[in-house]
């Protein structure tokens, strides 16, 4: 953790790290696949373990593809313009996204207090910050949580798709954020709650990979490459002050 004091930037995942929208995503995925698998007569039902193993942190369509593969299901890829009613990879992903956006609009979202405290401390310490999320809803989530003004650099699923950047667990989106900040990966810390995101940070050879345990388990995050795991981002503040 002492390395944190020597770094110049914090690169944050969004859902589950800055905001509890991971819970909204989990409910939306559960609704999608519980209904879909039951409708196909699949004996093995969808569980939270499926979310953490196949979906968490991945770009949406990659998550659909991985979950379907775990049940031996292959669907046509379709296109991002597919209607949510279509039984294609993109259609199912868009169905999930519709459910997520409906829930976000109805319920809103508030940032984790510890995450807000760390953002304030990071600004005081002179650290730069960026958001790196696989979500194509990143802008909407940041706005709903009142965080838009805090981040001048945002790499989300839409930007990654536009630029043809590979999603997590590849390190490319995090590396792109570091490039936008004008910093080498070694000068940045990656802050992640998903195994795929932690793996991305490790693959990119970042200066520090910090796992946030929101339910997947510290052992899993450490096993995927986290240097340290915390339960709340406020735990990092004393190490910023030490710098």
């Amino acid at each position: 953790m002492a390395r944190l004091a020597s770094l110049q930037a914090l690169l944050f995942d969004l859902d589950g790290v800055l905001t509890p929208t991971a819970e909204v995503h989990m409910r939306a995925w559960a609704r999608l696949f519980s209904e879909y698998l039951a409708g196909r007569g699949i004996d093995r039902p969808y569980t939270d373990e499926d979310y953490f193993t196949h979906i968490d942190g991945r770009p949406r369509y990659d998550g659909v593809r991985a979950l379907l593969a775990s049940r031996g299901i292959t669907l046509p890829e379709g296109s991002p313009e597919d209607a949510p009613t279509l039984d294609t990879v993109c259609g199912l992903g868009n169905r999930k996204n519709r459910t997520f956006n409906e829930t976000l609009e109805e319920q809103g979202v508030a940032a984790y207090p510890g995450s807000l405290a760390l953002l304030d401390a990071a600004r005081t310490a002179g650290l730069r910050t960026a958001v790196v999320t696989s979500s194509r809803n990143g802008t909407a989530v940041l706005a709903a949580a009142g965080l838009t003004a805090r981040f001048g650099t945002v790499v989300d699923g839409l930007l990654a798709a536009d630029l043809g950047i590979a999603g997590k667990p590849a390190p490319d989106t995090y590396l792109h954020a570091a490039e936008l900040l004008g910093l080498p990966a070694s000068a940045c810390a990656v802050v992640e709650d998903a195994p795929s995101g932690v793996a991305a940070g490790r693959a990119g050879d970042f200066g520090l990979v910090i796992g946030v345990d929101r339910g997947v388990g510290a052992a899993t995050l450490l096993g995927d490459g986290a240097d340290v795991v915390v339960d709340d981002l406020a735990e990092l503040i004393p190490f910023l002050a030490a710098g």
Side-chain angles (χ1 to χ4, degrees):
M1 193 82 81
R3 271 182 284 168
L4 187 57
S6 66
L7 300 180
Q8 299 177 56
L10 298 175
L11 311 181
F12 295 94
D13 179 40
L14 179 57
D15 301 320
V17 171
L18 296 176
T19 62
T21 37
E23 300 168 10
V24 183
H25 281 292
M26 285 185 71
R27 291 197 295 272
W29 283 112
R31 177 177 169 183
L32 170 70
F33 279 120
S34 293
E35 294 175 357
Y36 181 77
L37 295 177
R40 288 190 61 125
I42 303 297
D43 292 334
R44 184 178 157 201
Y46 178 86
T47 67
D48 286 349
E49 184 179 353
D50 284 315
Y51 173 79
F52 290 120
T53 302
H54 304 295
I55 295 171
D56 190 19
R58 297 178 186 269
R60 188 194 320 153
Y61 302 138
D62 289 353
V64 172
R65 209 176 295 110
L67 190 284
L68 292 175
S70 75
R71 300 305 197 271
I73 301 172
T74 301
L75 290 180
E77 187 69 16
S79 74
E81 291 74 35
D82 280 0
T85 54
L86 290 180
D87 279 353
T88 63
V89 168
C90 292
L92 287 179
N94 293 344
R95 195 180 309 173
K96 176 266 169 182
N97 195 53
R98 181 179 63 186
T99 301
F100 172 83
N101 282 319
E102 289 172 352
T103 304
L104 184 66
E105 184 176 346
E106 293 168 2
Q107 301 180 6
V109 66
Y112 290 108
S115 300
L116 289 176
L118 176 62
L119 287 173
D120 290 338
R123 181 173 55 189
T124 299
L127 288 171
R128 305 182 70 182
T129 57
V131 166
V132 181
T133 174
S134 297
S135 175
R136 293 177 177 234
N137 303 302
T139 299
V141 172
L142 286 170
L147 295 175
T148 302
R150 289 178 177 261
F151 295 99
T153 299
V154 177
V155 178
D156 64 6
L158 288 174
L159 180 63
D162 288 343
L163 297 180
I165 301 174
K168 305 169 189 177
D172 303 47
T173 50
Y174 275 114
L175 291 171
H176 186 65
E179 181 180 350
L180 291 176
L181 293 176
L183 295 171
S186 59
C188 305
V190 165
V191 188
E192 267 283 356
D193 72 316
S196 60
V198 165
R202 177 54 53 225
D205 200 23
F206 284 86
L208 190 65
V209 180
I210 300 167
V212 189
D213 183 12
R214 304 292 193 193
V216 69
T220 297
L221 295 173
L222 290 169
D224 280 291
D227 295 301
V228 64
V229 176
V230 298
D231 293 324
D232 189 281
L233 291 187
E235 296 173 39
L236 302 173
I237 293 175
F239 298 95
L240 296 181

